[in-house]
Amino acid sequence: MARLFGTDGVRGIANDTLTPELAYHLGRAAAYVLGQEKEHPTFLIGRDTRISGTMLESILAAGITSAGGNCYLVGVIPTPAIAYLTRVHHLDAGVMISASHNPFEYNGIKFFDQYGYKLPDETEDRIEEYMLKDERSGIQSRPTGAAIGTISNWTNLQDEYEDFIVQSTDVDLTGLKIVHDGANGSASQLGPDIFRRLGAEVIAIHHEPNGININDHCGSTHLESLKEAVLQNGADIGIANDGDADRCLAVDEKGQEMDGDQIMLLCALKLKEEGRLKQDTVVGTVMSNIGFHKALKEMGCQSVITAVGDRYVLERMRKDGYCLGGEQSGHIIFLDYNTTGDGLLTAVQLLSIMKTRQKPLSELAGIMTKYPQILKNVTVQTKSGWENNNLIMAAIAAGEEELGDEGRILVRPSGTEPLIRVMAEGPNLDQLQRIVDDIALVVEHEMGPSK
């Protein structure tokens, strides 16, 4: 049987592969495993703006309470807020119902432990194992009477998280004009409120969620409308979050994209100057640009690399005592502030650097020379076995030989979708496009849905 948990919780099409029945049993299992066998473990449950969120919230809470857990429902809130609030209120676990940057028909359930950290694989495996046992045992293990859990609303936690983000800087942002793209998701209201409280002028776009427009041609995966709004309004910067606001990307005053690598470098330089960059090291992933590593070296810093996924970045940071890490996609972790990627915290740190240095973002972004990078997603029937396919391996080897020491190729399965991603990086864009197209064609032929 395929593993239930992916790289970011349990995810699927709501009411199809992610069913209410699954959410119910997942809630029961989580109450047992994360509650450390307490009679009434406490869970904090948040969600993004998807139409399926309230359905999954209700049934998940029912599962938790049927196993004796007590649930506090927060409503619409960013994923990093659940991590933060679970920790500061000393609860047993946090749950976020979101599929992050995926389209609205998808949803997901991700768990945080009592310290606000995403669960390690072994804990997820224990939850999955208990789910299977629980489905077989049925009503035999269900509490009754006063042992049943409760569900309550906790309505002011959005304000508490907003205060935390505002207090993460002492820089007044007066004079900055910001366009904020809330992706019609969790940051739609919080983002503009935070930036305005810090003194900035804010133009808010994609901040009117209706349940089905989350991430729809907006947010950190679709920057076109943000670029247009920055140029039209003469803004200093555009900030884009994704549906659950754990990512942040930016657009400079010229409409040019600024990715997670570039944002991390600016933050690393600030922390190094303040003597707060632990071990002068930043954690990136295999997707981090070659230019990212070169720029860090020039700054007198070093990089360490993990697999794609902010959970793996975090694991390395905790293991070796680093304070800054993240992904090109905009998941950036400031471990001195929060225990997971935080798109609004990242935005505030970047805006504070802009205001302090009194330089346009396009100039600040020059800290790094980006090597061209081509990425192509190939829809596949299965993500298993591609690395043992001789034709795919031969196509990758041919591309690597052509690029030599001047570039690299990375082929990897998506952690959340039925895709294999083909990436090439190097100095020549036309060459990269041809190499990626050649490899993708072979992957599609060998692994595609028709196979």
Side-chain angles (χ1 to χ4, degrees):
M1 188 182 81
R3 189 171 185 269
L4 180 65
F5 286 87
T7 55
D8 203 16
V10 178
R11 195 173 293 191
I13 296 175
N15 220 26
D16 180 2
T17 50
L18 180 55
T19 63
E21 294 84 354
L22 175 61
Y24 173 79
H25 286 290
L26 191 59
R28 282 182 53 78
Y32 178 81
V33 173
L34 299 179
Q36 301 168 329
E37 302 185 44
K38 290 182 181 176
E39 186 179 10
H40 292 297
T42 52
F43 282 72
L44 191 67
I45 304 177
R47 57 183 169 85
D48 67 18
T49 57
R50 292 164 209 271
I51 194 171
S52 59
T54 51
M55 174 186 75
L56 292 171
E57 172 191 70
S58 301
I59 197 73
L60 180 78
I64 292 169
T65 53
S66 79
N70 291 335
C71 296
Y72 296 99
L73 307 184
V74 186
V76 173
I77 200 164
T79 289
I82 290 294
Y84 169 75
L85 294 163
T86 298
R87 172 169 53 90
V88 298
H89 286 287
H90 307 291
L91 304 175
D92 292 303
V95 193
M96 182 66 186
I97 299 170
S98 172
S100 192
H101 62 286
N102 290 150
F104 85 95
E105 60 266 27
Y106 287 83
N107 216 325
I109 300 171
K110 59 183 109 176
F111 293 92
F112 296 92
D113 68 16
Q114 61 186 319
Y115 305 108
Y117 291 112
K118 289 183 179 178
L119 304 184
D121 290 347
E122 53 268 27
T123 305
E124 292 179 340
D125 290 341
R126 284 180 62 209
I127 291 174
E128 192 166 338
E129 180 185 349
Y130 187 83
M131 279 181 67
L132 295 174
K133 288 181 183 175
D134 185 50
E135 288 183 63
R136 287 194 293 267
S137 65
I139 62 170
Q140 296 171 17
S141 61
R142 294 186 182 181
T144 58
I148 294 172
T150 60
I151 301 173
S152 309
N153 292 312
W154 199 340
T155 56
N156 64 342
L157 290 184
Q158 287 87 347
D159 295 338
E160 190 174 325
Y161 171 70
E162 182 179 310
D163 290 343
F164 159 67
I165 297 297
V166 168
Q167 291 160 11
S168 71
T169 184
D170 57 2
V171 177
D172 185 342
L173 301 183
T174 300
L176 282 183
K177 183 188 283 191
I178 301 167
V179 179
H180 177 251
D181 179 349
N184 293 314
S186 294
S188 296
Q189 180 178 330
L190 279 173
D193 285 352
I194 288 167
F195 304 144
R196 288 182 180 124
R197 279 182 62 182
L198 289 168
E201 177 185 348
V202 183
I203 297 119
I205 64 174
H206 305 302
H207 64 113
E208 297 179 346
N210 61 13
I212 63 174
N213 61 358
I214 186 171
N215 300 317
D216 185 13
H217 294 91
C218 59
S220 60
T221 51
H222 300 279
L223 295 176
E224 297 79 16
S225 59
L226 180 61
K227 294 177 187 178
E228 186 178 334
V230 167
L231 294 173
Q232 282 181 351
N233 290 280
D236 299 298
I237 184 174
I239 295 290
N241 296 123
D242 61 337
D244 67 334
D246 62 356
R247 295 188 188 194
C248 172
L249 294 181
V251 169
D252 70 21
E253 78 285 356
K254 297 179 180 178
Q256 300 170 127
E257 294 182 23
M258 187 174 191
D259 67 17
D261 287 345
Q262 294 167 293
I263 295 171
M264 273 196 293
L265 280 171
L266 282 175
C267 294
L269 182 59
K270 174 178 180 286
L271 289 171
K272 181 176 170 59
E273 289 174 350
E274 295 172 351
R276 296 196 296 132
L277 184 63
K278 292 174 183 172
Q279 302 177 58
D280 287 342
T281 300
V282 182
V283 181
T285 75
V286 292
M287 287 298 292
S288 296
N289 196 276
I290 293 172
F292 170 76
H293 305 293
K294 291 191 173 185
L296 276 173
K297 192 173 181 181
E298 289 170 7
M299 287 163 47
C301 300
Q302 63 175 348
S303 56
V304 296
I305 299 304
T306 74
V308 170
D310 62 331
R311 62 182 296 169
Y312 302 117
V313 172
L314 178 61
E315 283 174 8
R316 185 63 183 271
M317 292 172 71
R318 293 180 68 190
K319 175 177 175 285
D320 294 331
Y322 305 128
C323 66
L324 178 64
E327 300 186 279
Q328 194 181 58
S329 60
H331 283 123
I332 300 178
I333 302 168
F334 296 85
L335 204 47
D336 289 339
Y337 293 93
N338 206 353
T339 52
T340 189
D342 192 324
L344 291 172
L345 177 66
T346 299
V348 167
Q349 300 308 305
L350 177 61
L351 292 166
S352 299
I353 291 169
M354 278 185 69
K355 188 64 192 293
T356 302
R357 297 198 181 275
Q358 290 290 305
K359 291 181 179 178
L361 190 60
S362 60
E363 185 177 338
L364 293 174
I367 191 173
M368 169 181 156
T369 301
K370 286 178 73 172
Y371 276 56
Q373 209 176 56
I374 298 287
L375 175 66
K376 193 165 189 175
N377 294 321
V378 183
T379 301
V380 293
Q381 185 174 17
T382 175
K383 294 182 283 187
S384 301
W386 66 270
E387 63 271 51
N388 298 318
N389 184 292
N390 291 334
L391 290 177
I392 295 174
M393 291 298 103
I396 294 170
E400 288 175 334
E401 185 176 359
E402 183 176 343
L403 284 175
D405 295 334
E406 289 300 306
R408 65 189 182 110
I409 293 169
L410 178 67
V411 179
R412 65 177 188 88
S414 166
T416 57
E417 298 171 88
L419 302 171
I420 288 179
R421 307 191 195 279
V422 181
M423 188 274 282
E425 187 176 82
N428 187 309
L429 195 60
D430 292 338
Q431 180 190 38
L432 296 177
Q433 187 68 66
R434 176 173 47 76
I435 289 171
V436 165
D437 287 344
D438 288 348
I439 296 171
L441 194 63
V442 176
V443 172
E444 185 175 23
H445 180 269
E446 294 298 300
M447 310 289 292
S450 61
K451 292 300 290 181

